[in-house]
Amino acid sequence: MSQVQCAVENRIAFESEHELWQSIRDDTRRRLARATSIGFLYLLAALAVGAYLILAVREYGTDAIYFDGWYPKPIQFDWLTQIAWAYGVIAIVATFAYILVMLFIFDRLPSTLCRVVAATPWIGSTIRIVATGELCQSVFRSILDSKSYSDALQQASHEVHNRCLRDWSALSAARIDAGHSLANVMRVSPFQDPPLSAIAALTTYSQSQQESLRIWYQATTECHRLAQSRLDRATTALSVTCLLVSVFLASFAMFLTALFTRFVLGGLTS
């Protein structure tokens, strides 16, 4: 009777926190996507302004000349055009990277690309822990329904949105059915963040359902706590980095135009 009562209490506790965990994940993805989008717009604006200034002074200096003795010679400004093209290439690369990051944030990347983008600082670590929290919550719910670890991981392969963890969950369910231990399966997960590492060290087949519930509940709670802390660091780092890069690119273009105006148009033309 006590086991039934404990299970009921665990289910009530889970249902009360299910929406909280889901809202934390949704809010993390939303805020991270917003910070990434704002940083990307800052970068594009700086590149557009910089390229415009460089091409504008390049156009004004088309007929600029200097005198070599008594002979006028045109001033070559091909390097300005090359810099403007470099700004365009940076914009294309930034756009491609932005699309990849946004697809990664909302779990739309295939498994191979997902592993690559997951290694990026700030964004990768934040989304990894969010996906890990979703996996832990799915397994916790399955254990609450008295399912085996094989069935729990198979269920997670349908519920988890991250493609890396979905593929790994399906493969892990088959490995457990084949006789592998849960600890060994957890050690080869694609995301080796602290909660999964702790589960790999603590879980065994001999554990009771209550002990398993406690471990997976704590792992789920820790994942969502880490998601919030990593989100704060990621948004701050993204904002500062994108702002500094944007200021540098725009300032560099302004420096080139000022240098052109002072030393070329002001002193070398006639």
Side-chain angles (χ1 to χ4, degrees):
M1 183 65 182
S2 59
Q3 292 182 351
V4 174
Q5 182 180 0
C6 187
V8 171
E9 291 176 354
N10 284 328
R11 180 173 295 278
I12 294 174
F14 168 72
E15 293 298 336
S16 66
E17 290 190 285
H18 172 76
E19 294 298 329
L20 174 62
W21 289 337
Q22 183 65 48
S23 65
I24 289 174
R25 293 197 299 271
D26 292 342
D27 182 67
T28 299
R29 296 181 192 276
R30 184 170 54 252
R31 289 177 56 188
L32 192 59
R34 182 169 63 248
T36 303
S37 299
I38 292 174
F40 173 69
L41 291 177
Y42 277 145
L43 184 60
L44 278 190
L47 290 170
V49 170
Y52 172 78
L53 289 174
I54 292 172
L55 291 176
V57 298
R58 172 68 179 84
E59 181 67 24
Y60 289 134
T62 300
D63 298 325
I65 61 173
Y66 72 97
F67 283 91
D68 184 7
W70 292 99
Y71 301 98
K73 294 184 178 180
I75 302 176
Q76 299 297 326
F77 295 113
D78 293 340
W79 57 278
L80 283 175
T81 304
Q82 293 173 356
I83 293 177
W85 275 107
Y87 271 49
V89 171
I90 294 174
I92 294 174
V93 173
T95 301
F96 180 72
Y98 171 74
I99 293 173
L100 281 181
V101 168
M102 294 301 290
L103 290 175
F104 174 68
I105 290 175
F106 293 103
D107 293 325
R108 295 295 185 269
L109 282 182
S111 183
T112 303
L113 285 177
C114 178
R115 290 174 182 267
V116 174
V117 182
T120 59
W122 309 320
I123 297 175
S125 61
T126 303
I127 296 302
R128 284 201 315 267
I129 202 65
V130 169
T132 301
E134 188 177 25
L135 172 70
C136 291
Q137 178 178 332
S138 177
V139 174
F140 173 75
R141 179 167 53 194
S142 296
I143 296 174
L144 195 61
D145 293 334
S146 301
K147 295 182 179 180
S148 65
Y149 277 125
S150 175
D151 293 337
L153 290 172
Q154 188 63 44
Q155 182 69 24
S157 68
H158 299 291
E159 294 181 348
V160 175
H161 293 88
N162 185 273
R163 180 55 71 79
C164 290
L165 289 180
R166 286 179 62 184
D167 294 345
W168 171 81
S169 297
L171 180 62
S172 298
R175 292 183 62 191
I176 289 178
D177 284 336
H180 292 267
S181 67
L182 178 65
N184 290 334
V185 168
M186 298 299 297
R187 291 191 181 97
V188 296
S189 63
F191 300 157
Q192 290 294 331
D193 289 279
L196 287 185
S197 301
I199 290 174
L202 294 175
T203 53
T204 64
Y205 277 120
S206 60
Q207 287 171 329
S208 64
Q209 183 188 21
Q210 295 304 315
E211 184 65 18
S212 297
L213 284 171
R214 185 186 64 81
I215 292 174
W216 286 95
Y217 174 82
Q218 290 180 349
T220 306
T221 303
E222 181 66 12
C223 283
H224 290 84
R225 187 190 66 80
L226 287 174
Q228 291 177 306
S229 62
R230 290 185 184 183
L231 173 65
D232 293 336
R233 292 196 299 267
T235 52
T236 301
L238 279 173
S239 300
V240 173
T241 301
C242 290
L243 182 60
L244 290 177
V245 172
S246 301
V247 169
F248 169 77
L249 291 172
S251 299
F252 182 68
M254 294 176 66
F255 169 75
L256 291 179
T257 57
L259 191 67
F260 176 91
T261 303
R262 179 178 178 183
F263 292 104
V264 178
L265 294 182
L268 296 178
T269 60
S270 62

